[in-house]
Every structure is written in structure tokens, then in C-alpha cells.
Amino acid sequence: MIALRDVYKVFHQGQAEVRALAGVSLDIEAGAFVSIMGPSGSGKSTLLHLMGGLDLPTSGEVSLDGTPLSRLSDDEITVLRRRKIGFVFQFFNLLPTYTAEENVALPLLLDGVSRRAIRPRVDAALEQVGLEHRRRHRPEELSGGEMQRVAIARALIIDPRVILADEPTGNLDTKTGEQVLDLLAAANRERHCTIVLVTHDSRAAAHAGRLVTLKDGTVEDQRTL
């Protein structure tokens, strides 16, 4: 499903060179639920961004479903993300002037799906996350947990092969965070969607079936949970 081979990522800050990833090789099989942990600066978010084609490695290769991302054009990577990858971020990334239903519909609108075809899919996605009654509310009118559930509905509406979640419970209280994690676990269980979860929280990581620990840009440990 997702394969990384000897991946390095180097950033330049003025004259300084920062090595975020240093030779990461990793395989994540289809239908897996994998948590990635490690201290701040260990390369967790960088790794997730490379998996999602939001950035490209300095060297090494990232492949999705057997296709090396380096062989795709920018437009092809954009289409791949739009159709195969759902993203859930710590700060929700909702458009503030759009309602909940408009935010959820956005990936399909960008992909040229007709509004008539979109409506039932939006209805189903909002129902799955329990927000049908909040569909016409804008982000400023929603709680943090509700905004994250809108983000999950937006990720699910494309029926993704994989969901990449970067600290999705980082701004939520414990109870609300558990609800968000339960939704991700349900997507994994019921839709056979591959989930990769970056987190600092060991309780969140425990929802996964496998834990990968990073340290200083390398894989320090992997184990089954």
C-alpha cells in the first residue's frame, strides 16, 4: 500500500542544513492502522507529508499502491491525493466562510463531480460523524470536536484508500478525542481504509494495530499492539 525506501528529507534554514528524515524504510500494508510516535523534531509530520505527496523526499522513494510518487507530475499527484487520500490535521483546515456541508463537499467539487451526485454523499458522510443537524453551520459556530468530525467527513467522502491523520486529537479534550479516534477506527474496520496516525499521545496510539517509533529522523522501533 505505502512503501518508503531509504527516504531522506533535508531542509535548509539559511546556512544550516536540517535533516528531518535520515534513511527511513517502511512498509504499511493495505487495511492497516498504524500509529507513528516520537519526540518533537523526530520527523513524524514530515514523514506523513511525504506519504501524502504533500512534499517530496530529498532522496529515496515513496510509493503508493506500487506507484513511485517521484514519477508523477504535480497535477497527477494532486489528482491522486484528491481521489485516494483523506487528510485530517490538528487544526482542522476548514474554510471559514464555508458551511460544514460545503467543506465536506469540497473534494468532490474540485474533482468535477456534479452537485446532484454530491448531495447524497455529503448526507451520508455527515450522518456517519453525527453532524447532520450542524450541516449549515460555519466553523466558527462549531466546537473543536465538531470541526474535527467535519474534517473526518471531508476525508471519508472520497472513499479514500488511506487516511493520514496528523495529531487529530491534539486540540481536543480526552472525551472528544476518543470520539474522533473511534471514527477513525470505524473507517479502518468497516471501510478497510488504511489509517496512519501521527500522535504524541500513547492512549491515541493504542487504537492502532501497530506502532512505529521515530527518533532523530530514523525508525527506532516497530511493534504490534
Side-chain angles (χ1 to χ4, degrees), residues 47-81:
L47 183 63
L48 203 73
H49 290 174
L50 296 183
M51 288 181 183
L54 295 172
D55 200 355
L56 293 175
T58 303
S59 64
E61 190 61 79
V62 180
S63 299
L64 179 65
D65 280 342
T67 300
L69 299 188
S70 64
R71 296 183 186 175
L72 302 179
S73 67
D74 288 345
D75 287 345
E76 288 171 330
I77 290 177
T78 297
V79 171
L80 179 146
R81 285 198 303 264

Side-chain angles (χ1 to χ4, degrees), residues 146-186:
E146 287 171 335
M147 284 191 282
Q148 196 61 291
R149 282 188 281 159
V150 170
I152 291 174
R154 181 182 58 191
L156 291 174
I157 200 169
I158 65 170
D159 195 19
R161 295 270 288 134
V162 58
I163 292 178
L164 303 177
D166 193 355
E167 298 283 3
T169 62
N171 285 329
L172 306 177
D173 61 70
T174 301
K175 181 180 179 180
T176 305
E178 283 294 321
Q179 293 171 346
V180 165
L181 292 166
D182 287 344
L183 287 170
L184 293 174

Side-chain angles (χ1 to χ4, degrees), residues 111-151:
D111 206 30
V113 179
S114 71
R115 291 182 181 272
R116 178 175 294 183
I118 287 173
R119 180 59 185 264
R121 293 173 67 173
V122 170
D123 291 345
L126 287 173
E127 181 179 1
Q128 185 169 359
V129 300
L131 285 178
E132 314 97 298
H133 62 297
R134 304 288 271 168
R135 62 185 311 130
R136 292 185 174 85
H137 290 74
R138 290 183 172 82
E140 65 181 14
E141 301 171 304
L142 302 174
S143 69
E146 287 171 335
M147 284 191 282
Q148 196 61 291
R149 282 188 281 159
V150 170

Side-chain angles (χ1 to χ4, degrees), residues 180-194:
V180 165
L181 292 166
D182 287 344
L183 287 170
L184 293 174
N188 174 249
R189 182 176 62 252
E190 297 167 8
R191 295 174 175 241
H192 307 292
C193 182
T194 304

